[in-house]
Amino acid sequence: QVQLVESGGGLVQPGGSLTLSCAASGSIFSRYVMGWYRQAPGKQRELVATITTRGFTNYVDPVKGRFTISKDYAKNTVYLQMNSLKTKDTAVYYCNAHNPLFPYNDYWGQGTQVIVSS
């Protein structure tokens, strides 16, 4: 089973930066699309960014130009660099591993809280 361990969340001022990390249990990047999701209070979990097995990245409009998803094969770790943070970025951020061959068998991290507040 794939295990994802997240870290890097915390409190940051609006306009500040934060980088989240997601360490995978094995060398899965050749088989899984990695993604970051977030869930704000009272809202459903939503996609933030993905990076494919080939390294193609995708971002939702609210974070385009501010967030960057990347992965380190040697460390089996995916990152989400968040710049110019806004209060509406406040959420619990979740790491996701998706195997396109098994679309209903996603793996999720435990979540890490990001609070953007003055």
Side-chain angles (χ1 to χ4, degrees), residues 16-51:
S17 298
L18 203 62
T19 299
L20 308 181
S21 299
C22 172
S25 59
S27 300
I28 66 171
F29 294 160
S30 64
R31 293 173 285 128
Y32 286 82
V33 175
M34 304 302 298
W36 285 96
Y37 288 71
R38 66 186 181 186
Q39 186 168 16
K43 297 184 178 181
Q44 292 186 321
R45 190 173 300 184
E46 64 177 357
L47 176 68
V48 176
T50 60
I51 183 166

Side-chain angles (χ1 to χ4, degrees), residues 91-118:
V92 177
Y93 284 71
Y94 297 90
C95 183
N96 168 265
H98 172 75
N99 188 336
L101 298 178
F102 303 96
Y104 303 106
N105 292 322
D106 285 15
Y107 293 94
W108 296 90
Q110 79 285 357
T112 184
Q113 294 188 27
V114 173
I115 301 176
V116 185
S117 179
S118 301

Side-chain angles (χ1 to χ4, degrees), residues 11 14 16-17 25-26 29 44-45 61 68-69 73-75 79 82 86 89 96 106:
L11 175 65
S17 298
S25 59
F29 294 160
Q44 292 186 321
R45 190 173 300 184
D61 287 341
T68 302
I69 186 172
Y73 283 91
K75 296 181 178 180
Y79 304 93
M82 304 181 294
K86 304 176 180 179
D89 294 319
N96 168 265
D106 285 15

